[in-house]
Amino acid sequence: MNRESKEAAKILIVEDNPTNMGILFDLLEQAGFQTLMALDGKQGLFHAKAALPDLILLDILMPEMDGFETCRKLKADPRTAEIPVIFITALSEIDNKLKGFALGAADYITKPFHHEEVISRVKTHLTLQKQRRDLESLNASKDRLLSIIGHDLKNPINFLMGMSQILSESENGADEAQMREFVRDTYSVSSNVLALLDNLLCWARSQTGELKPAPEIFDLQELVRHQIMICNKNAEQKEIRLKNDVPRDFSVYMDMDMAETMIRNLLSNAVKFTDKGGEIRIFAAEAGDLAEVSVADTGVGIPPEHHEKLFSLQEEKWGPGTAGEQGTGLGLILCKEFVEKNGGRIWCDSKEGEGTTFCFTVPRSAAPQP
Ligand code: MN
C-alpha cells in the first residue's frame, strides 16, 4: 500500500561526462537509489517526462542543450515542474550557482564530488519533496473537511433549531399528529447528524494513521442483523424493507468495527437514495478465498460518470436523497479506506432508475503464513 516508503526513490542523472556519470551512478546505486541516466539535455527531458523521477541531478555544461536550458524546460512543463533539480557544477562557478537557483534549482553539488555530501543533499531534497507532497494532500483533506462541516453539518443543525423552536411554542396550533411528525423528523435528522459526526471522527483518525485493522473471524449474518436493527427506524419512515439475505454461519475475516461502519454507511446510503416502498437486500457469496458482500437497493441509481467519483474525497458529490436527505459522500470514502485496509476492494453497479448495488470483497479467513 505505502508505495513511497517501500520503493527506492528514482533519480535521474543528466551528465555528458562519462567519468562523472559513472561516479554518480555507483554512488547512488550503492546508497540504494534507483538510477536513470541521460547523456545530454534532450535525453534528460525525455527520461524526466517518461519516468517522472523523484529528483534530477543536472550537469550545467553540456553540448547543444545546456543544463540551464534543460532546467527551464523542466520547470515549464507541469508534469516535471515539481521535480527537484540539483545542479552539478565546478566549485568555483559562483555565477552558475546563482543562475541555477534563479531558474528554480533546489540545490547544487560541486565537482569533484564529495561522496557523503552528494548523498546528504539528495536525501535532504527527497525528504523535503515528500513533506511538500504530504502537506499538499493534508491541505486538500482539510479543505474538504471544512466544507463538509460548513455545508453538511450546518444545514441539519439549523433544521433542528427551527424544529425545537416550533415545538417549544405551545400556541403554534399544531395538532398532536403534526407534533408527532415534527418529533419524528427531529429524531431522524439528529440521528443523521450523529452518523455524520461518527464518520468525521473515524475519518480524522484514519487520516492520522492511528486506525489499524484488527481482523478477526465473525458471523456476517449476525453483524448485518444488528445494523439493520439500527437503520430500521429511518427505513420505516420511507416504508423501505430491509432484507438480510446473508447465509447462516457465513463468516468473514476483517476488523469488526470497520465492518460495522461499512455496513452502516452502505445501508444508510441505500435508504437515502431509495424511494418510498422500495427494498434493500444485503447478501453475500463465496468467491474463491474471498467473500463478496452486496448491498442492493431499488433506488434512483447513479449515472455511470459518477461511479468512480463516489470514492474520491476531492470530488463534489451529487444530489440529495429521495426525501431531501443530506449526504457528504464521506461514508463511501471510509468504506473504501476500510475495505482496502482489510485486503478487499469496493465497487458499484448501478443503473439509473433501477437501483444500485455496492459490492465489496473481504477475506473469508486469515491468510496462511508463507
Ligand atoms: Mn558537462
XYZ file of all heavy atoms in Angstrom, residues 189-246:
464
model
N -33.330 13.555 11.749
C -32.238 14.470 11.404
C -31.111 14.366 12.427
O -29.926 14.326 12.074
C -32.748 15.922 11.277
C -31.582 16.889 11.144
C -33.662 16.059 10.066
N -31.457 14.270 13.732
C -30.365 14.164 14.709
C -29.587 12.874 14.522
O -28.371 12.853 14.694
C -30.806 14.254 16.170
O -32.145 14.547 16.287
N -30.272 11.787 14.156
C -29.517 10.548 14.004
C -28.608 10.628 12.772
O -27.515 10.069 12.773
C -30.439 9.327 13.953
O -31.134 9.289 12.737
N -29.035 11.375 11.750
C -28.142 11.585 10.605
C -26.927 12.423 10.974
O -25.815 12.155 10.526
C -28.893 12.267 9.449
C -29.755 11.282 8.690
O -29.518 10.076 8.746
N -30.760 11.791 8.003
N -27.149 13.446 11.796
C -26.023 14.281 12.228
C -25.038 13.452 13.039
O -23.819 13.541 12.864
C -26.506 15.483 13.070
C -25.314 16.254 13.622
C -27.358 16.403 12.231
N -25.586 12.599 13.897
C -24.720 11.749 14.708
C -23.893 10.821 13.814
O -22.687 10.649 14.029
C -25.571 10.934 15.695
C -24.767 10.100 16.693
C -23.932 11.000 17.591
C -25.701 9.227 17.523
N -24.553 10.228 12.806
C -23.835 9.335 11.893
C -22.733 10.093 11.156
O -21.626 9.588 10.977
C -24.805 8.713 10.892
N -23.038 11.331 10.769
C -22.039 12.142 10.072
C -20.858 12.452 10.994
O -19.695 12.345 10.607
C -22.688 13.432 9.551
C -21.750 14.470 8.952
C -20.916 13.883 7.834
C -22.542 15.658 8.432
N -21.161 12.808 12.231
C -20.086 13.070 13.190
C -19.233 11.833 13.408
O -18.005 11.911 13.460
C -20.687 13.528 14.529
C -21.015 15.007 14.623
C -21.697 15.311 15.955
C -19.757 15.859 14.477
N -19.898 10.685 13.514
C -19.183 9.415 13.645
C -18.207 9.228 12.496
O -17.047 8.888 12.695
C -20.189 8.257 13.591
C -20.432 7.665 14.962
O -19.744 8.091 15.907
O -21.305 6.793 15.075
N -18.712 9.452 11.287
C -17.869 9.305 10.103
C -16.717 10.291 10.107
O -15.583 9.943 9.786
C -18.700 9.506 8.832
C -19.453 8.254 8.439
O -19.192 7.174 8.972
N -20.386 8.390 7.530
N -17.013 11.533 10.482
C -15.955 12.548 10.521
C -14.840 12.142 11.483
O -13.662 12.252 11.169
C -16.530 13.901 10.960
C -17.129 14.784 9.884
C -17.822 15.983 10.510
C -16.057 15.256 8.905
N -15.241 11.655 12.657
C -14.242 11.266 13.654
C -13.435 10.070 13.173
O -12.212 10.029 13.301
C -14.912 10.955 14.992
C -15.510 12.182 15.685
C -16.297 11.772 16.923
C -14.425 13.188 16.048
N -14.128 9.080 12.608
C -13.458 7.897 12.050
C -12.447 8.306 10.996
O -11.310 7.851 10.972
C -14.471 7.016 11.330
S -14.991 5.600 12.251
N -12.903 9.190 10.143
C -12.066 9.597 9.024
C -10.851 10.381 9.524
O -9.722 10.166 9.076
C -12.888 10.437 8.055
C -12.129 10.872 6.872
C -11.691 10.079 5.838
C -11.684 12.182 6.590
N -11.006 10.831 4.937
C -10.982 12.134 5.367
C -11.801 13.403 7.237
C -10.416 13.252 4.803
C -11.233 14.513 6.667
C -10.551 14.426 5.462
N -11.090 11.276 10.485
C -9.985 12.046 11.053
C -8.949 11.097 11.660
O -7.745 11.268 11.475
C -10.500 13.017 12.103
N -9.433 10.071 12.373
C -8.496 9.113 12.976
C -7.751 8.328 11.906
O -6.568 8.058 12.044
C -9.237 8.155 13.911
C -9.543 8.772 15.264
C -10.328 7.798 16.121
N -9.566 6.590 16.402
C -10.122 5.396 16.630
N -11.418 5.263 16.597
N -9.371 4.359 16.894
N -8.449 7.974 10.839
C -7.768 7.192 9.819
C -6.750 8.052 9.059
O -5.753 7.555 8.575
C -8.773 6.516 8.881
O -8.955 7.250 7.714
N -6.980 9.379 9.007
C -6.006 10.272 8.373
C -4.713 10.362 9.165
O -3.645 10.537 8.603
C -6.583 11.695 8.227
C -7.704 11.815 7.242
C -7.390 11.177 5.915
O -6.540 11.654 5.180
N -8.047 10.075 5.597
N -4.807 10.263 10.473
C -3.596 10.344 11.279
C -2.867 9.012 11.321
O -1.811 8.897 11.913
C -3.912 10.761 12.729
O -4.780 9.765 13.288
C -4.592 12.114 12.788
N -3.446 7.989 10.673
C -2.781 6.691 10.587
C -2.900 5.861 11.854
O -2.278 4.817 11.979
N -3.703 6.318 12.809
C -3.784 5.573 14.068
C -4.834 4.459 14.031
O -4.981 3.703 14.976
C -4.051 6.518 15.244
C -5.475 7.006 15.347
C -5.697 7.921 16.548
O -5.289 9.105 16.493
O -6.260 7.442 17.522
N -5.550 4.382 12.906
C -6.588 3.373 12.803
C -6.042 2.144 12.087
O -5.982 2.102 10.868
C -7.769 3.963 12.022
C -9.161 3.584 12.473
C -9.365 3.881 13.936
C -10.189 4.298 11.635
N -5.626 1.144 12.851
C -5.078 -0.079 12.259
C -6.121 -1.188 12.377
O -6.728 -1.345 13.429
C -3.802 -0.486 12.995
C -2.708 0.568 12.953
C -1.546 0.096 12.111
C -0.475 1.126 11.839
N -0.607 2.480 12.341
N -6.322 -1.957 11.286
C -7.323 -3.009 11.380
C -6.859 -4.142 12.309
O -5.682 -4.478 12.331
C -7.443 -3.510 9.935
C -6.191 -3.110 9.259
C -5.683 -1.884 9.960
N -7.803 -4.651 13.096
C -7.535 -5.831 13.919
C -8.492 -6.919 13.448
O -9.582 -7.066 14.005
C -7.739 -5.503 15.397
N -8.131 -7.640 12.379
C -9.073 -8.587 11.782
C -9.362 -9.779 12.702
O -8.504 -10.201 13.485
C -8.358 -9.046 10.509
C -6.930 -8.724 10.694
C -6.852 -7.589 11.664
N -10.596 -10.247 12.615
C -10.990 -11.448 13.344
C -12.074 -12.143 12.533
O -12.654 -11.536 11.629
C -11.517 -11.081 14.742
C -12.719 -10.133 14.694
C -13.155 -9.671 16.081
O -13.474 -10.549 16.903
O -13.180 -8.442 16.313
N -12.343 -13.380 12.875
C -13.403 -14.109 12.186
C -14.722 -13.857 12.916
O -14.769 -13.952 14.141
C -13.084 -15.617 12.164
C -11.829 -15.824 11.322
C -14.276 -16.427 11.652
C -11.727 -17.093 10.572
N -15.736 -13.444 12.181
C -17.035 -13.273 12.826
C -18.152 -13.637 11.865
O -17.928 -13.786 10.657
C -17.204 -11.837 13.368
C -17.136 -10.779 12.299
C -18.269 -10.423 11.572
C -15.934 -10.140 12.016
C -18.201 -9.451 10.584
C -15.865 -9.165 11.021
C -17.000 -8.820 10.308
N -19.363 -13.743 12.430
C -20.534 -14.135 11.657
C -21.156 -12.894 11.010
O -21.656 -12.016 11.700
C -21.530 -14.823 12.606
C -22.759 -15.313 11.852
O -22.756 -15.301 10.611
O -23.734 -15.707 12.528
N -21.094 -12.842 9.700
C -21.576 -11.654 8.988
C -23.084 -11.493 9.111
O -23.590 -10.371 9.237
C -21.163 -11.720 7.511
C -21.514 -10.488 6.682
C -20.686 -9.283 7.087
C -21.329 -10.742 5.180
N -23.801 -12.613 9.091
C -25.264 -12.513 9.168
C -25.694 -11.796 10.451
O -26.575 -10.946 10.441
C -25.895 -13.914 9.119
C -27.383 -13.855 8.846
C -28.104 -15.138 9.215
O -27.810 -15.740 10.248
N -29.022 -15.551 8.365
N -25.008 -12.131 11.526
C -25.304 -11.542 12.828
C -25.011 -10.028 12.822
O -25.811 -9.222 13.288
C -24.446 -12.272 13.874
C -24.529 -11.748 15.287
C -25.940 -11.826 15.850
O -26.723 -12.688 15.387
O -26.259 -11.008 16.746
N -23.869 -9.670 12.262
C -23.498 -8.249 12.202
C -24.494 -7.459 11.356
O -24.918 -6.360 11.726
C -22.080 -8.112 11.645
C -21.508 -6.689 11.563
C -20.074 -6.672 12.078
C -21.549 -6.125 10.161
N -24.902 -8.034 10.236
C -25.856 -7.357 9.365
C -27.204 -7.216 10.075
O -27.854 -6.164 10.000
C -26.001 -8.118 8.018
C -27.197 -7.616 7.231
C -24.733 -7.973 7.195
N -27.605 -8.261 10.795
C -28.874 -8.216 11.534
C -28.878 -7.016 12.495
O -29.833 -6.254 12.565
C -29.066 -9.530 12.316
C -30.493 -9.798 12.773
C -30.572 -11.096 13.578
N -29.727 -11.049 14.773
C -30.054 -10.431 15.907
N -31.233 -9.843 16.009
N -29.231 -10.412 16.936
N -27.774 -6.867 13.197
C -27.666 -5.786 14.161
C -27.731 -4.409 13.476
O -28.428 -3.505 13.941
C -26.352 -5.945 14.932
C -26.198 -4.969 16.048
N -26.986 -5.014 17.168
C -25.356 -3.916 16.204
C -26.633 -4.030 17.974
N -25.648 -3.346 17.416
N -27.024 -4.259 12.364
C -27.017 -2.974 11.659
C -28.390 -2.654 11.063
O -28.794 -1.495 11.024
C -25.946 -2.955 10.554
C -24.520 -2.941 11.078
C -24.261 -1.798 12.038
O -24.606 -0.649 11.773
N -23.674 -2.103 13.187
N -29.104 -3.691 10.607
C -30.446 -3.477 10.071
C -31.361 -2.951 11.167
O -32.162 -2.037 10.951
C -30.997 -4.786 9.456
C -30.366 -5.009 8.074
C -32.528 -4.745 9.329
C -30.863 -6.203 7.326
N -31.192 -3.494 12.374
C -31.999 -3.043 13.503
C -31.801 -1.541 13.753
O -32.751 -0.794 13.963
C -31.583 -3.816 14.755
C -32.717 -4.399 15.543
S -32.036 -5.543 16.757
C -30.992 -4.464 17.733
N -30.533 -1.135 13.696
C -30.220 0.273 13.957
C -30.794 1.182 12.868
O -31.292 2.278 13.126
C -28.678 0.463 14.042
C -28.133 -0.275 15.269
C -28.307 1.944 14.107
C -26.634 -0.348 15.324
N -30.734 0.704 11.641
C -31.122 1.528 10.493
C -32.632 1.519 10.247
O -33.157 2.346 9.509
C -30.397 0.988 9.270
S -30.433 2.067 7.856
N -33.301 0.586 10.888
C -34.698 0.331 10.556
C -35.613 1.537 10.744
O -36.541 1.736 9.973
C -35.219 -0.841 11.381
C -36.097 -1.743 10.526
O -36.195 -1.561 9.310
N -36.735 -2.698 11.164
N -35.336 2.352 11.751
C -36.225 3.478 12.039
C -36.324 4.429 10.845
O -37.409 4.833 10.443
C -35.710 4.234 13.262
C -36.835 4.906 14.013
C -36.478 5.052 15.480
C -37.713 5.390 16.280
N -37.518 5.235 17.719
N -35.144 4.755 10.272
C -35.150 5.622 9.094
C -35.801 4.939 7.899
O -36.484 5.571 7.109
C -33.728 6.047 8.720
C -33.227 7.169 9.614
O -34.019 7.912 10.181
N -31.918 7.278 9.753
N -35.574 3.629 7.774
C -36.145 2.888 6.646
C -37.668 2.834 6.758
O -38.383 3.030 5.778
C -35.562 1.481 6.589
N -38.161 2.612 7.973
C -39.608 2.501 8.189
C -40.340 3.771 7.785
O -41.424 3.726 7.220
C -39.907 2.204 9.662
C -39.926 0.722 9.972
C -40.051 0.453 11.466
O -40.168 1.431 12.247
O -40.026 -0.730 11.842
N -39.693 4.901 8.070
C -40.321 6.171 7.699
C -40.567 6.285 6.216
O -41.471 6.967 5.773
C -39.436 7.334 8.136
C -39.575 7.631 9.606
C -38.953 8.965 9.941
O -39.120 9.928 9.199
N -38.257 9.020 11.050
N -39.701 5.636 5.430
C -39.869 5.673 3.981
C -40.505 4.376 3.469
O -40.530 4.133 2.263
C -38.517 5.908 3.292
C -37.957 7.299 3.545
C -36.568 7.459 2.934
C -36.623 7.847 1.462
N -35.259 8.121 0.920
N -40.993 3.570 4.415
C -41.606 2.284 4.073
C -40.698 1.442 3.191
O -41.127 0.817 2.213
C -42.974 2.501 3.398
C -44.004 3.081 4.363
C -45.186 3.716 3.643
O -45.495 3.278 2.519
O -45.781 4.659 4.197
N -39.428 1.440 3.545
C -38.461 0.637 2.798
C -38.176 -0.643 3.577
O -37.991 -0.612 4.796
C -37.150 1.426 2.596
C -37.394 2.598 1.641
C -36.042 0.528 2.064
C -36.263 3.583 1.577
N -38.204 -1.764 2.858
C -37.973 -3.048 3.506
C -36.484 -3.385 3.473
O -35.841 -3.293 2.419
C -38.748 -4.147 2.774
C -39.501 -5.091 3.692
C -40.730 -5.653 3.002
N -40.369 -6.343 1.777
C -40.091 -7.641 1.716
N -40.116 -8.396 2.806
N -39.783 -8.223 0.562
N -35.909 -3.761 4.623
C -34.510 -4.159 4.694
C -34.445 -5.677 4.841
O -35.040 -6.224 5.770
C -33.818 -3.496 5.892
C -33.877 -1.967 5.969
C -33.167 -1.473 7.221
C -33.251 -1.340 4.731
N -33.752 -6.346 3.928
C -33.706 -7.815 3.959
C -32.292 -8.325 4.161
O -31.378 -7.944 3.438
C -34.243 -8.385 2.639
C -35.753 -8.550 2.639
C -36.211 -9.132 1.312
C -36.009 -10.647 1.258
N -36.334 -11.171 -0.093
N -32.155 -9.178 5.158
C -30.852 -9.794 5.431
C -30.800 -11.163 4.747
O -31.321 -12.133 5.270
C -30.681 -9.929 6.947
C -29.305 -10.456 7.333
O -28.514 -10.819 6.459
N -29.025 -10.498 8.629
N -30.187 -11.228 3.578
C -30.080 -12.492 2.848
C -28.689 -13.104 2.937
O -28.309 -13.934 2.115
C -30.460 -12.286 1.371
C -31.964 -12.177 1.183
O -32.704 -12.560 2.115
O -32.397 -11.694 0.115
N -27.918 -12.672 3.948
C -26.613 -13.305 4.168
C -26.870 -14.722 4.677
O -27.691 -14.910 5.580
C -25.790 -12.502 5.202
C -24.467 -13.190 5.488
C -25.576 -11.078 4.718
